[in-house]
Amino acid sequence: MSQKNIAVDVDKVVKRYGSVTALHGVSLDIREGEFFTLLGPSGCGKTTLLRCIAGFEDVSDGRVRLMGQDITPLPAHKRPVNTVFQQYALFPHMTVLENVSFGLSRRGWTARDAEGRAKQMLKLVQLSDFAKRKPGQLSGGQQQRVALARALAPEPQVLLLDEPLSALDLKLRQAVRVELKQIQRETGIAFVFVTHDQEEALTMSDRIAVMSAGHVQQIGTPREIYEAPVNRFVADFIGETNLLEVAVRQVDGDRATVVLPGGHVVEVPAASGAKVGTGHLSVRPERMSTAPGGGDLTVLVEDHVYLGTDIQLHARLDDGAPLVVRIQNGAAATIPAPGTRLALDVEAGAARLLAD
């Protein structure tokens, strides 16, 4: 990819706080017009990395480039980026329109131009009818959109979002996700979104960087991250999975021969770095089905959970390892009783050998 297609280039960035290293030589690129998500648990370094891009934190080593320009030495107010935080920090005494136009006036825009741009942004976030209201008269979702309009108004080259939906309730969060993605597409601006919520990352992102302990574990599209995790951390953190301990007989490029619990020998896709010996397979619960004539695995059903759209079976393999299976709900769906021995088939290509 040519340099002009990269909005943000993070090059071997290290961040230290005294004796503690929060980022260990992180490298990644964020493309123009891309919705890119930094995903990981609390303390993984995702917000620290966002703050290094924004200029709120100095990097201890490495470089940050924006549209090919090295911005590492620039202070935050001189970087052509804007940030939307968890707390929206709207001015309670100002109207919605004044909140959006305030930053433009401070940047030297005329009152007329600032107001016109603010109205344009409120139209984009569908809040034109609320321009004269105060923030206290808005819902949480509406306040979030005001903060977004304010951040977009100066036409930043990149917009950074630090868990901006975390304060919203579930239904509202789901609705705002859709709006946020639509706004990103309409503006064509690269969004860098920080979250610990896997569902948010999977539903909104063009690409995701999964982080853990200051390292990037994997970068890929939502489907790549979910379907082809590279290691146990990614497989276990993204969605729900079964991690089966297996004997690995052979690894040949991206394929491997393994012995499943119960003795079946199968060929499976393998992540880069997988080795012969003892390994782990990742198998998603929805990628298994009952096999009345005998299958890849045999389990003892212990319990089930009715989830509406599907039925979650909790079972154990003969070696005592737990296994979760999801059966799609429907008129023909049957729920095996606790104590039932059940044969299961794993969908072709669904079991993946990980690089531990």
Side-chain angles (χ1 to χ4, degrees), residues 65-89:
R65 301 180 185 89
L66 184 71
M67 303 298 181
Q69 177 191 358
D70 187 354
I71 61 169
T72 312
L74 295 181
H77 69 277
K78 291 189 176 180
R79 299 188 182 194
V81 302
N82 253 349
T83 307
V84 178
F85 299 100
Q86 290 182 17
Q87 303 300 324
Y88 309 134

Side-chain angles (χ1 to χ4, degrees), residues 119-153:
K119 287 180 177 179
Q120 183 183 0
M121 290 299 97
L122 290 179
K123 182 178 180 181
L124 178 68
V125 299
Q126 300 177 31
L127 286 178
S128 296
D129 294 340
F130 298 82
K132 295 182 180 180
R133 293 194 187 183
K134 300 289 180 65
Q137 298 173 300
L138 304 179
S139 68
Q142 290 166 338
Q143 290 184 36
Q144 191 271 343
R145 282 187 278 163
V146 174
L148 182 62
R150 181 179 60 186
L152 287 170

Side-chain angles (χ1 to χ4, degrees), residues 96-115:
V96 166
L97 183 65
E98 289 167 344
N99 264 278
V100 177
S101 63
F102 178 77
L104 299 176
S105 300
R106 293 293 298 270
R107 290 169 183 255
W109 290 48
T110 66
R112 180 178 179 179
D113 288 345
E115 181 177 327

Side-chain angles (χ1 to χ4, degrees), residues 18-41:
S19 61
V20 176
T21 302
L23 297 173
H24 298 266
V26 170
S27 292
L28 54 83
D29 62 74
I30 299 160
R31 300 162 188 167
E32 292 182 24
E34 181 175 42
F35 197 119
F36 190 94
T37 296
L38 302 173
L39 172 68

